[in-house]
Amino acid sequence: MKYNRTLIIIFFFVLAFRLFFIFQTQHYSDDYAYFTLRNIENIRDTGKPLYDDELSYGGRKALFSPIFYYTLYGFSSIFGENALKVIPALLISLLVILSYIISINITKDYRASLLSSLMVGFIPILFPNTLNNISVYSLTLFIIFFMIFCLIKITEKRYMNLFVLLSILLP
């Protein structure tokens, strides 16, 4: 029971840490965030993302999966503009819980699982790519970690179905 409390504390600490730095400025750290904003605005206006954008990529066609943009559009239409900063931070913070579950299934050691979840919350390569940025990496990493969990439990039919569905949706 005390390990569950510690996990919740780690989760909220990682979330608070990320939100503290995210809300220090109104602007984003990366040009990709503004490309995402333009896609979300275009989805709001026309219902489709910008596959042919003259302001970015020099007018060339951009090929990408629009799932992330539609997801963010849904949250931003419900919760407002701040959802574009909070949702990626929340997804990265949820990696703490997913990594704990994966680690506990593999090792059966609560302390090692807590340590791994704390380490996942502060992966150095994630900070420049996801802190104060609307990055598709937040959703992608969440899906990859969930797929790893489903792979561990693949003998159960529902996890096998989830793994196949996420394998199709991820690309």
Side-chain angles (χ1 to χ4, degrees), residues 111-138:
R111 289 182 180 165
S113 300
L114 285 173
L115 181 62
S116 71
S117 67
L118 181 64
M119 290 171 65
V120 163
F122 295 102
I123 296 174
I125 195 73
L126 284 181
F127 282 100
N129 292 328
T130 61
L131 193 65
N132 198 26
N133 193 1
I134 309 172
S135 174
V136 73
Y137 295 131
S138 56

Side-chain angles (χ1 to χ4, degrees), residues 53-155:
D53 186 14
E54 292 190 20
L55 295 179
S56 61
Y57 298 110
R60 296 180 303 212
K61 294 221 182 250
L63 298 174
F64 53 83
S65 174
I67 293 172
F68 181 65
Y69 304 115
Y70 282 112
T71 304
L72 284 180
Y73 166 70
F75 281 114
S76 67
S77 64
I78 295 171
F79 299 112
E81 190 82 18
N82 284 337
L84 299 177
K85 289 189 172 198
V86 173
I87 296 301
L90 183 64
L91 286 172
I92 292 293
S93 299
L94 284 173
L95 290 180
V96 168
I97 296 172
L98 275 175
S99 69
Y100 177 81
I101 293 169
I102 291 168
S103 180
I104 203 72
N105 278 308
I106 293 173
T107 65
K108 308 291 190 238
D109 185 3
Y110 293 103
R111 289 182 180 165
S113 300
L114 285 173
L115 181 62
S116 71
S117 67
L118 181 64
M119 290 171 65
V120 163
F122 295 102
I123 296 174
I125 195 73
L126 284 181
F127 282 100
N129 292 328
T130 61
L131 193 65
N132 198 26
N133 193 1
I134 309 172
S135 174
V136 73
Y137 295 131
S138 56
L139 181 63
T140 303
L141 283 172
F142 182 79
I143 290 173
I144 287 172
F145 272 62
F146 192 70
M147 285 176 66
I148 291 170
F149 172 70
C150 290
L151 192 59
I152 292 170
K153 301 276 191 176
I154 199 131
T155 56

Side-chain angles (χ1 to χ4, degrees), residues 14-27 29 85 122 127 131-132:
V14 170
L15 183 62
F17 182 83
R18 296 185 76 78
L19 291 178
F20 174 76
F21 286 108
I22 286 172
F23 287 115
Q24 291 296 313
T25 180
Q26 293 178 341
H27 306 291
S29 301
K85 289 189 172 198
F122 295 102
F127 282 100
L131 193 65
N132 198 26

